[in-house]
Amino acid sequence: MTGNELRRRYLQFFQAKKHQLIPSASLVPENDATTLFTGSGMQPLVPYLLGKEHPLGQRLVNAQKAFRSQDIEEVGDNRHTTFFEMLGNWSLGDYFKREQLTWFFQFLINEVGLDPKRLYVTVFAGDEKFGLARDHQSAEIWQELFARQGIDAPIVAQPLNGLNQGRIFYYPAEKNWWSRAGEPGKMPLGEPGGPDSELFYDFGPDLGLHENSAWRNQACHPNCDCGRFLEIGNSVFMQYLKTKNGFTLLPKKNVDFGGGLERILAAANNEPDIFKTDLLWPIVSRLMDLSARSYVDQDQFAMRVIADHVRASVMLIADGVVPARKDRGYFVRRLLRRAIRFGHQLNIQGHFLSQLVPTIVEIYQAHYPDLSDKLPLITQVITDEEIKFHQALDRGMKKIAQLGKIDAQVSFYLYETFGFPFELTAEIAQEHGWTIDQKMLTKLKKAHQQQSRTASAGKFKGGLVDRNQTTTKFHTATHLLHAALRQVLGNQVEQRGSHITRERLRFDFSFHRALTDEEITRVEQLVNQWITADLTVYHQILPKEVALKAGALALFSEKYPDKVSVYTIGHDLKDDYISKEFCGGPHVTHTAEIGAPLKIKKEKSSAAGVRRIYMSYAS
Ligand code: SER
């Protein structure tokens, strides 16, 4: 079966079950500052999962492009990629567990032709701490479904009991609970989530893949990482909302199903290596031609990395992300440079990444016709980046010659200044017989990873890059600044965006001219006066209409669910307050925690009719 055929069959199967087809959203989330990339099918549908009516009704089906930057280091095994397509079907308060599990099982057996004996499932074991019940219903539904196929399917109450004893396994929240933020304890307030049931395909115990597995001679289990089992689909029963008072039920019980297109395809072809599916293999074949090497051992690893990274870059560039030093563009740069580095390992000479672009476009153009139009642009962007990196390589090599050594600090310097991948530096060092103190390098990397994780984990609500104490203080300060600007300049001032780091806050707002020195001073005075007055920061969850009536400022009204989170700063909630805004937090509880004085460091134009202010501590 081909990837295009599988995608088509899935969409048709659910359309026949009265689901409306929706197109894939962009990899760059629209109107959603919470994350950098679309990393799952549910992301563009969050407002509807939270209760908003979808214009196409309660049953939807799609194939959503997804990019998971956090998986970059995982790529190289038989199943991980940064870019993938997620087949999704959605019940927005319509059907629930029985229909979902039945239909997915039927699809796999009747349409894809999988042998049900090869399928294993996991369900949620419950979480006492959060009062979340064990998902008995799903386990029982699965048991019935297997029984109808003549398969006895014991339910195993404890994980890790081994396959011999079970087919349906209970796992705790770390494995069988789904929300964008992960398990219940990690979810921010206002985030939807629910128990999930994952389905695994068993490639069998005799695969060469398992030579190094701890499970080689033991009873394996679905969540074992040895590669024998491949998770091919995840049915999330999205029915909870995390609130200040624990988990409450969402207005409607939803189903969020996501199945990896490449992974189901791998199962359909009983081929454990997803890079051998027709969605990736043509890229690997091209690499074999370019390098005159085979798809084995270390070269296999390199080819997988290049194939994944270039495919992801093509898709990201098509959605408007170009290589850059920070934010989204940083990831495209990192993908391309990493791919170049692995190209060196394959001994491919010259610029080669752009030569892979037509192959990738050919695989995907039937389903994503815009790719053909964008082919010249994508090729240009990748060629430019390749040239740039080769120039950086030259400059870096000169620097190495000048320094006459590579140690941990130099390795890190080359990484930061010239974008040298560490593996490349290690190779050069080895050629010269220089040693790099790996412990020191790990230390430097860890500090850096910590920082870049804060980028890649996405921006939290409110434009914060993380949730530490200082960013939280600055976040509350943006509300004060907003209120002060409206007081000094008038109520036509509206927030247009914000970005907060540990060093400063940046605030964009609608206004048609530069501020005068007097206005800047007055705004600063107000903000500092309110900090010193130690006003209370109140938090409420309110029905949207009530919040609007109470005068709360809602900035992107179409995005808000029926229940909203509102922060009020003042002496009381009703009459004596200076700021009331729709906002997901986090905030300090009293303004004096911010600590005065704050100072406006810069005021400038940001776009037509939009001004930008940078503010931080005076000293
Ligand atoms: N949201 C779930 C996931 O991404 C299912 O679509 O796995």
Side-chain angles (χ1 to χ4, degrees):
M1 189 179 284
T2 67
N4 282 328
E5 190 187 342
L6 176 59
R7 193 196 293 107
R8 187 173 46 74
R9 281 199 192 201
Y10 174 80
L11 299 176
Q12 280 175 355
F13 180 86
F14 280 94
Q15 279 175 291
K17 303 218 175 303
K18 305 211 165 15
H19 289 63
Q20 298 296 319
L21 177 65
I22 50 171
S24 172
S26 166
L27 287 168
V28 177
E30 282 163 33
N31 297 328
D32 182 354
T34 57
T35 107
L36 287 176
F37 298 105
T38 302
S40 63
M42 63 82 81
Q43 212 165 293
L45 291 164
V46 170
Y48 308 104
L49 292 165
L50 287 169
K52 189 175 166 180
E53 298 285 313
H54 194 284
L56 292 179
Q58 291 176 279
R59 294 184 182 193
L60 307 172
V61 63
N62 66 352
Q64 173 63 47
K65 294 181 278 187
F67 175 71
R68 290 190 178 169
S69 58
Q70 62 273 28
D71 282 351
I72 194 165
E73 308 279 352
E74 310 270 351
V75 181
D77 65 9
N78 66 323
R79 61 193 183 283
H80 280 96
T81 53
T82 54
F83 170 85
F84 61 96
E85 274 177 277
M86 196 166 243
L87 301 175
N89 61 269
W90 312 87
S91 160
L92 303 172
D94 187 355
Y95 59 85
F96 207 44
K97 296 181 182 175
R98 178 164 293 280
E99 293 88 337
Q100 169 54 28
L101 301 179
T102 307
W103 289 340
F104 180 42
F105 201 53
Q106 276 174 1
F107 172 73
L108 292 178
I109 296 169
N110 303 336
E111 295 287 323
V112 185
L114 299 189
D115 175 356
K117 284 196 223 64
R118 296 229 175 199
L119 302 179
Y120 288 79
V121 297
T122 64
V123 287
F124 180 54
D127 192 325
E128 272 176 31
K129 190 166 154 227
F130 290 95
L132 297 163
R134 180 176 276 246
D135 187 3
H136 291 291
Q137 298 100 324
S138 293
E140 282 155 23
I141 295 167
W142 277 123
Q143 204 164 37
E144 280 176 42
L145 292 171
F146 278 108
R148 269 186 240 158
Q149 299 293 326
I151 299 169
D152 181 33
I155 301 171
V156 179
Q158 294 298 320
L160 313 187
N161 260 8
L163 268 193
N164 298 341
Q165 297 153 49
R167 186 166 292 270
I168 299 163
F169 294 77
Y170 280 114
Y171 280 93
E174 296 87 68
K175 294 285 183 193
N176 280 76
W177 174 271
W178 206 92
S179 81
R180 287 181 299 178
E183 57 215 69
K186 293 184 179 157
M187 290 165 65
L189 300 184
E191 185 70 15
D196 68 31
S197 178
E198 300 181 352
L199 190 139
F200 293 78
Y201 183 80
D202 178 10
F203 284 102
D206 302 323
L207 285 175
L209 271 178
H210 308 295
E211 267 162 26
N212 300 324
S213 166
W215 297 91
R216 174 116 180 102
N217 298 314
Q218 298 179 41
C220 198
H221 69 114
N223 268 313
C224 163
D225 282 332
C226 71
R228 168 176 171 178
F229 288 93
L230 186 67
E231 183 200 333
I232 60 175
N234 184 13
S235 300
V236 183
F237 302 111
M238 188 70 79
Q239 67 190 103
Y240 294 106
L241 183 74
K242 183 154 173 188
T243 72
K244 220 168 65 184
N245 304 320
F247 281 89
T248 57
L249 289 177
L250 284 167
K252 292 172 185 166
K253 289 180 178 177
N254 309 297
V255 173
D256 152 16
F257 168 78
L261 175 64
E262 293 91 340
R263 290 179 170 209
I264 299 179
L265 190 57
N269 298 328
N270 200 24
E271 168 51 72
D273 180 356
I274 66 161
F275 289 87
K276 287 199 176 157
T277 65
D278 75 326
L279 294 173
L280 284 152
W281 188 246
I283 317 173
V284 174
S285 299
R286 189 86 185 90
L287 283 168
M288 288 198 286
D289 290 345
L290 288 167
S291 63
R293 297 217 187 170
S294 312
Y295 183 63
V296 288
D297 306 329
Q298 278 302 91
D299 291 349
Q300 178 186 67
F301 188 93
M303 287 180 196
R304 285 172 173 173
V305 172
I306 300 170
D308 168 74
H309 286 12
V310 183
R311 181 177 71 153
S313 302
V314 166
M315 294 299 189
L316 286 166
I317 296 167
D319 279 353
V321 189
V322 291
R325 275 188 76 87
K326 54 184 196 168
D327 285 344
R328 295 189 180 96
Y330 169 74
F331 289 95
V332 181
R333 171 157 292 169
R334 185 160 166 221
L335 289 167
L336 291 173
R337 293 190 171 190
R338 213 158 171 259
I340 294 170
R341 138 90 190 122
F342 279 96
H344 281 201
Q345 190 178 306
L346 294 175
N347 211 12
I348 302 178
Q349 302 298 330
H351 302 161
F352 72 101
L353 295 184
S354 49
Q355 296 185 49
L356 301 171
V357 179
T359 311
I360 297 165
V361 170
E362 201 181 319
I363 299 169
Y364 284 100
Q365 64 191 358
H367 193 69
Y368 299 105
D370 64 312
L371 285 178
S372 317
D373 299 339
K374 291 176 182 161
L375 176 72
L377 171 86
I378 298 168
T379 309
Q380 189 59 50
V381 170
I382 291 186
T383 307
D384 288 351
E385 183 63 13
E386 218 169 355
I387 292 171
K388 219 180 264 170
F389 186 50
H390 276 103
Q391 284 167 351
L393 267 181
D394 287 345
R395 288 207 303 275
M397 294 307 283
K398 280 193 191 119
K399 188 78 194 171
I400 294 171
Q402 207 182 346
L403 293 170
K405 66 164 185 184
I406 296 179
D407 56 15
Q409 274 85 357
V410 172
S411 169
F412 199 75
Y413 167 83
L414 291 169
Y415 170 74
E416 275 214 310
T417 316
F418 302 109
F420 266 43
F422 292 111
E423 302 91 332
L424 179 69
T425 315
E427 264 176 22
I428 303 166
Q430 203 179 9
E431 279 162 23
H432 288 80
W434 296 322
T435 42
I436 297 174
D437 177 347
Q438 291 303 327
K439 264 199 190 148
M440 169 63 79
L441 187 59
T442 310
K443 230 167 133 183
L444 294 168
K445 274 189 205 174
K446 271 208 180 127
H448 180 82
Q449 261 168 12
Q450 197 53 40
Q451 271 180 335
S452 62
R453 200 167 292 140
T454 305
S456 72
K459 293 173 189 162
F460 289 101
K461 285 197 171 74
L464 278 70
V465 297
D466 64 20
R467 284 174 182 242
N468 93 333
Q469 268 186 345
T470 313
T471 49
T472 303
K473 289 176 188 176
F474 279 143
H475 187 202
T476 310
T478 61
H479 286 225
L480 297 179
L481 175 61
H482 192 190
L485 286 165
R486 286 166 69 88
Q487 228 175 75
V488 175
L489 304 174
N491 281 350
Q492 75 271 36
V493 166
E494 279 183 1
Q495 176 171 351
R496 285 284 179 266
S498 70
H499 183 259
I500 299 162
T501 67
R502 293 170 196 210
E503 283 74 42
R504 53 95 182 123
L505 69 86
R506 190 179 82 196
F507 188 77
D508 289 353
F509 59 99
S510 54
F511 199 60
H512 56 283
R513 60 164 171 81
L515 272 62
T516 63
D517 289 347
E518 292 73 34
E519 285 166 341
I520 290 181
T521 309
R522 183 70 194 126
V523 169
E524 270 175 4
Q525 275 171 351
L526 280 174
V527 169
N528 287 317
Q529 183 184 317
W530 290 332
I531 293 174
T532 319
D534 198 18
L535 303 171
T536 305
V537 181
Y538 301 91
H539 182 218
Q540 292 166 293
I541 304 280
L542 296 173
K544 184 162 69 185
E545 296 313 315
V546 176
L548 286 170
K549 244 195 190 149
L553 292 181
L555 298 177
F556 311 101
S557 47
E558 76 284 0
K559 235 191 82 185
Y560 295 110
D562 287 345
K563 285 252 166 108
V564 294
S565 154
V566 175
Y567 281 88
T568 306
I569 307 177
H571 289 295
D572 73 42
L573 270 167
K574 266 184 129 181
D575 306 307
D576 194 4
Y577 62 85
I578 52 107
S579 158
K580 194 186 272 296
E581 292 195 25
F582 281 45
C583 175
H587 285 285
V588 299
T589 55
H590 289 86
T591 54
E593 289 168 44
I594 301 170
L598 291 181
K599 195 164 174 45
I600 293 179
K601 300 277 168 130
K602 202 191 276 177
E603 191 275 340
K604 60 177 198 154
S605 163
S606 156
V610 180
R611 307 295 302 175
R612 173 167 285 185
I613 278 180
Y614 288 89
M615 194 169 208
S616 62
Y617 289 106
S619 51

PDB file of all heavy atoms in Angstrom, residues 478-480 482-483 495 507 551-555 565-568 579-583:
ATOM      1  N   THR A 478       3.259  43.717  32.317  1.00  0.00           N
ATOM      2  CA  THR A 478       2.673  44.074  31.007  1.00  0.00           C
ATOM      3  C   THR A 478       1.225  44.519  31.185  1.00  0.00           C
ATOM      4  O   THR A 478       0.764  45.415  30.503  1.00  0.00           O
ATOM      5  CB  THR A 478       2.684  42.922  29.969  1.00  0.00           C
ATOM      6  OG1 THR A 478       1.929  41.835  30.463  1.00  0.00           O
ATOM      7  CG2 THR A 478       4.071  42.497  29.584  1.00  0.00           C
ATOM      8  N   HIS A 479       0.530  43.898  32.146  1.00  0.00           N
ATOM      9  CA  HIS A 479      -0.858  44.321  32.376  1.00  0.00           C
ATOM     10  C   HIS A 479      -0.885  45.752  32.934  1.00  0.00           C
ATOM     11  O   HIS A 479      -1.744  46.556  32.572  1.00  0.00           O
ATOM     12  CB  HIS A 479      -1.553  43.365  33.347  1.00  0.00           C
ATOM     13  CG  HIS A 479      -1.913  42.036  32.725  1.00  0.00           C
ATOM     14  ND1 HIS A 479      -3.129  41.437  32.910  1.00  0.00           N
ATOM     15  CD2 HIS A 479      -1.220  41.201  31.908  1.00  0.00           C
ATOM     16  CE1 HIS A 479      -3.166  40.272  32.249  1.00  0.00           C
ATOM     17  NE2 HIS A 479      -1.998  40.120  31.644  1.00  0.00           N
ATOM     18  N   LEU A 480       0.087  46.031  33.813  1.00  0.00           N
ATOM     19  CA  LEU A 480       0.143  47.396  34.364  1.00  0.00           C
ATOM     20  C   LEU A 480       0.487  48.393  33.261  1.00  0.00           C
ATOM     21  O   LEU A 480      -0.095  49.474  33.162  1.00  0.00           O
ATOM     22  CB  LEU A 480       1.194  47.466  35.489  1.00  0.00           C
ATOM     23  CG  LEU A 480       0.930  46.590  36.715  1.00  0.00           C
ATOM     24  CD1 LEU A 480       2.061  46.749  37.736  1.00  0.00           C
ATOM     25  CD2 LEU A 480      -0.410  46.955  37.367  1.00  0.00           C
ATOM     26  N   HIS A 482      -0.046  48.092  30.060  1.00  0.00           N
ATOM     27  CA  HIS A 482      -1.208  48.221  29.185  1.00  0.00           C
ATOM     28  C   HIS A 482      -2.202  49.229  29.781  1.00  0.00           C
ATOM     29  O   HIS A 482      -2.675  50.144  29.105  1.00  0.00           O
ATOM     30  CB  HIS A 482      -1.852  46.834  29.050  1.00  0.00           C
ATOM     31  CG  HIS A 482      -2.876  46.732  27.958  1.00  0.00           C
ATOM     32  ND1 HIS A 482      -3.695  45.645  27.827  1.00  0.00           N
ATOM     33  CD2 HIS A 482      -3.237  47.564  26.968  1.00  0.00           C
ATOM     34  CE1 HIS A 482      -4.485  45.816  26.782  1.00  0.00           C
ATOM     35  NE2 HIS A 482      -4.227  46.980  26.235  1.00  0.00           N
ATOM     36  N   ALA A 483      -2.470  49.062  31.080  1.00  0.00           N
ATOM     37  CA  ALA A 483      -3.427  49.952  31.745  1.00  0.00           C
ATOM     38  C   ALA A 483      -2.899  51.386  31.752  1.00  0.00           C
ATOM     39  O   ALA A 483      -3.648  52.340  31.517  1.00  0.00           O
ATOM     40  CB  ALA A 483      -3.670  49.456  33.169  1.00  0.00           C
ATOM     41  N   GLN A 495      -3.513  46.036  23.165  1.00  0.00           N
ATOM     42  CA  GLN A 495      -2.332  45.173  23.066  1.00  0.00           C
ATOM     43  C   GLN A 495      -2.331  44.454  21.712  1.00  0.00           C
ATOM     44  O   GLN A 495      -3.349  43.937  21.275  1.00  0.00           O
ATOM     45  CB  GLN A 495      -2.367  44.143  24.187  1.00  0.00           C
ATOM     46  CG  GLN A 495      -1.216  43.156  24.085  1.00  0.00           C
ATOM     47  CD  GLN A 495      -1.101  42.263  25.297  1.00  0.00           C
ATOM     48  OE1 GLN A 495      -1.778  42.486  26.297  1.00  0.00           O
ATOM     49  NE2 GLN A 495      -0.241  41.270  25.211  1.00  0.00           N
ATOM     50  N   PHE A 507       6.394  44.904  24.617  1.00  0.00           N
ATOM     51  CA  PHE A 507       4.943  45.056  24.541  1.00  0.00           C
ATOM     52  C   PHE A 507       4.586  45.838  23.280  1.00  0.00           C
ATOM     53  O   PHE A 507       5.078  46.930  23.051  1.00  0.00           O
ATOM     54  CB  PHE A 507       4.466  45.815  25.793  1.00  0.00           C
ATOM     55  CG  PHE A 507       2.976  45.878  25.927  1.00  0.00           C
ATOM     56  CD1 PHE A 507       2.263  44.783  26.374  1.00  0.00           C
ATOM     57  CD2 PHE A 507       2.283  47.036  25.602  1.00  0.00           C
ATOM     58  CE1 PHE A 507       0.874  44.836  26.504  1.00  0.00           C
ATOM     59  CE2 PHE A 507       0.902  47.100  25.733  1.00  0.00           C
ATOM     60  CZ  PHE A 507       0.197  45.992  26.186  1.00  0.00           C
ATOM     61  N   GLY A 551     -16.290  44.049  31.994  1.00  0.00           N
ATOM     62  CA  GLY A 551     -15.327  45.006  31.444  1.00  0.00           C
ATOM     63  C   GLY A 551     -13.950  44.423  31.170  1.00  0.00           C
ATOM     64  O   GLY A 551     -12.989  45.168  30.948  1.00  0.00           O
ATOM     65  N   ALA A 552     -13.822  43.101  31.206  1.00  0.00           N
ATOM     66  CA  ALA A 552     -12.494  42.511  30.950  1.00  0.00           C
ATOM     67  C   ALA A 552     -12.102  42.726  29.489  1.00  0.00           C
ATOM     68  O   ALA A 552     -12.939  42.589  28.595  1.00  0.00           O
ATOM     69  CB  ALA A 552     -12.516  41.028  31.277  1.00  0.00           C
ATOM     70  N   LEU A 553     -10.844  43.058  29.268  1.00  0.00           N
ATOM     71  CA  LEU A 553     -10.362  43.277  27.907  1.00  0.00           C
ATOM     72  C   LEU A 553     -10.053  41.938  27.255  1.00  0.00           C
ATOM     73  O   LEU A 553      -9.245  41.169  27.755  1.00  0.00           O
ATOM     74  CB  LEU A 553      -9.075  44.103  27.917  1.00  0.00           C
ATOM     75  CG  LEU A 553      -9.183  45.557  28.348  1.00  0.00           C
ATOM     76  CD1 LEU A 553      -7.809  46.214  28.274  1.00  0.00           C
ATOM     77  CD2 LEU A 553     -10.174  46.306  27.459  1.00  0.00           C
ATOM     78  N   ALA A 554     -10.717  41.681  26.130  1.00  0.00           N
ATOM     79  CA  ALA A 554     -10.449  40.449  25.384  1.00  0.00           C
ATOM     80  C   ALA A 554      -9.833  40.877  24.073  1.00  0.00           C
ATOM     81  O   ALA A 554     -10.387  41.720  23.377  1.00  0.00           O
ATOM     82  CB  ALA A 554     -11.749  39.716  25.120  1.00  0.00           C
ATOM     83  N   LEU A 555      -8.682  40.349  23.779  1.00  0.00           N
ATOM     84  CA  LEU A 555      -7.981  40.913  22.619  1.00  0.00           C
ATOM     85  C   LEU A 555      -8.177  40.151  21.325  1.00  0.00           C
ATOM     86  O   LEU A 555      -8.190  40.723  20.265  1.00  0.00           O
ATOM     87  CB  LEU A 555      -6.507  41.070  22.954  1.00  0.00           C
ATOM     88  CG  LEU A 555      -6.325  42.038  24.116  1.00  0.00           C
ATOM     89  CD1 LEU A 555      -4.885  42.153  24.510  1.00  0.00           C
ATOM     90  CD2 LEU A 555      -6.920  43.406  23.804  1.00  0.00           C
ATOM     91  N   SER A 565     -10.370  32.664  31.592  1.00  0.00           N
ATOM     92  CA  SER A 565      -9.597  33.006  32.764  1.00  0.00           C
ATOM     93  C   SER A 565      -9.359  34.523  32.733  1.00  0.00           C
ATOM     94  O   SER A 565      -8.972  35.079  31.710  1.00  0.00           O
ATOM     95  CB  SER A 565      -8.300  32.200  32.676  1.00  0.00           C
ATOM     96  OG  SER A 565      -7.264  32.813  33.351  1.00  0.00           O
ATOM     97  N   VAL A 566      -9.651  35.179  33.854  1.00  0.00           N
ATOM     98  CA  VAL A 566      -9.557  36.647  33.893  1.00  0.00           C
ATOM     99  C   VAL A 566      -8.676  37.075  35.076  1.00  0.00           C
ATOM    100  O   VAL A 566      -8.817  36.560  36.179  1.00  0.00           O
ATOM    101  CB  VAL A 566     -10.964  37.277  34.062  1.00  0.00           C
ATOM    102  CG1 VAL A 566     -10.875  38.788  34.238  1.00  0.00           C
ATOM    103  CG2 VAL A 566     -11.846  36.936  32.870  1.00  0.00           C
ATOM    104  N   TYR A 567      -7.757  38.005  34.815  1.00  0.00           N
ATOM    105  CA  TYR A 567      -6.938  38.568  35.891  1.00  0.00           C
ATOM    106  C   TYR A 567      -7.322  40.034  36.109  1.00  0.00           C
ATOM    107  O   TYR A 567      -7.415  40.808  35.146  1.00  0.00           O
ATOM    108  CB  TYR A 567      -5.456  38.474  35.543  1.00  0.00           C
ATOM    109  CG  TYR A 567      -4.896  37.084  35.780  1.00  0.00           C
ATOM    110  CD1 TYR A 567      -4.953  36.126  34.787  1.00  0.00           C
ATOM    111  CD2 TYR A 567      -4.342  36.757  37.012  1.00  0.00           C
ATOM    112  CE1 TYR A 567      -4.461  34.839  35.008  1.00  0.00           C
ATOM    113  CE2 TYR A 567      -3.845  35.482  37.251  1.00  0.00           C
ATOM    114  CZ  TYR A 567      -3.906  34.532  36.249  1.00  0.00           C
ATOM    115  OH  TYR A 567      -3.418  33.277  36.479  1.00  0.00           O
ATOM    116  N   THR A 568      -7.545  40.375  37.356  1.00  0.00           N
ATOM    117  CA  THR A 568      -7.905  41.747  37.718  1.00  0.00           C
ATOM    118  C   THR A 568      -6.855  42.266  38.696  1.00  0.00           C
ATOM    119  O   THR A 568      -6.494  41.558  39.642  1.00  0.00           O
ATOM    120  CB  THR A 568      -9.285  41.781  38.407  1.00  0.00           C
ATOM    121  OG1 THR A 568     -10.222  41.127  37.546  1.00  0.00           O
ATOM    122  CG2 THR A 568      -9.745  43.199  38.693  1.00  0.00           C
ATOM    123  N   SER A 579      -6.869  47.230  36.140  1.00  0.00           N
ATOM    124  CA  SER A 579      -6.714  46.371  34.970  1.00  0.00           C
ATOM    125  C   SER A 579      -7.557  45.118  35.129  1.00  0.00           C
ATOM    126  O   SER A 579      -7.606  44.531  36.214  1.00  0.00           O
ATOM    127  CB  SER A 579      -5.230  45.990  34.830  1.00  0.00           C
ATOM    128  OG  SER A 579      -5.098  44.818  34.072  1.00  0.00           O
ATOM    129  N   LYS A 580      -8.232  44.734  34.041  1.00  0.00           N
ATOM    130  CA  LYS A 580      -9.009  43.482  34.038  1.00  0.00           C
ATOM    131  C   LYS A 580      -8.871  42.905  32.639  1.00  0.00           C
ATOM    132  O   LYS A 580      -9.307  43.516  31.663  1.00  0.00           O
ATOM    133  CB  LYS A 580     -10.482  43.786  34.372  1.00  0.00           C
ATOM    134  CG  LYS A 580     -11.302  42.542  34.726  1.00  0.00           C
ATOM    135  CD  LYS A 580     -12.772  42.885  34.906  1.00  0.00           C
ATOM    136  CE  LYS A 580     -13.195  43.308  36.286  1.00  0.00           C
ATOM    137  NZ  LYS A 580     -13.066  42.307  37.334  1.00  0.00           N
ATOM    138  N   GLU A 581      -8.219  41.761  32.533  1.00  0.00           N
ATOM    139  CA  GLU A 581      -7.938  41.230  31.196  1.00  0.00           C
ATOM    140  C   GLU A 581      -8.193  39.731  31.110  1.00  0.00           C
ATOM    141  O   GLU A 581      -7.968  39.005  32.086  1.00  0.00           O
ATOM    142  CB  GLU A 581      -6.451  41.438  30.837  1.00  0.00           C
ATOM    143  CG  GLU A 581      -6.054  42.871  30.633  1.00  0.00           C
ATOM    144  CD  GLU A 581      -4.704  42.986  29.923  1.00  0.00           C
ATOM    145  OE1 GLU A 581      -4.317  42.052  29.190  1.00  0.00           O
ATOM    146  OE2 GLU A 581      -4.038  44.028  30.124  1.00  0.00           O
ATOM    147  N   PHE A 582      -8.610  39.281  29.936  1.00  0.00           N
ATOM    148  CA  PHE A 582      -8.635  37.850  29.650  1.00  0.00           C
ATOM    149  C   PHE A 582      -7.173  37.414  29.571  1.00  0.00           C
ATOM    150  O   PHE A 582      -6.400  38.012  28.821  1.00  0.00           O
ATOM    151  CB  PHE A 582      -9.231  37.584  28.258  1.00  0.00           C
ATOM    152  CG  PHE A 582     -10.719  37.634  28.166  1.00  0.00           C
ATOM    153  CD1 PHE A 582     -11.450  38.642  28.771  1.00  0.00           C
ATOM    154  CD2 PHE A 582     -11.400  36.676  27.423  1.00  0.00           C
ATOM    155  CE1 PHE A 582     -12.838  38.689  28.662  1.00  0.00           C
ATOM    156  CE2 PHE A 582     -12.783  36.721  27.301  1.00  0.00           C
ATOM    157  CZ  PHE A 582     -13.497  37.731  27.927  1.00  0.00           C
ATOM    158  N   CYS A 583      -6.787  36.417  30.325  1.00  0.00           N
ATOM    159  CA  CYS A 583      -5.372  36.022  30.290  1.00  0.00           C
ATOM    160  C   CYS A 583      -5.199  34.665  30.966  1.00  0.00           C
ATOM    161  O   CYS A 583      -5.843  34.375  31.967  1.00  0.00           O
ATOM    162  CB  CYS A 583      -4.539  37.076  31.021  1.00  0.00           C
ATOM    163  SG  CYS A 583      -2.813  36.632  31.167  1.00  0.00           S
TER     164      CYS A 583
END
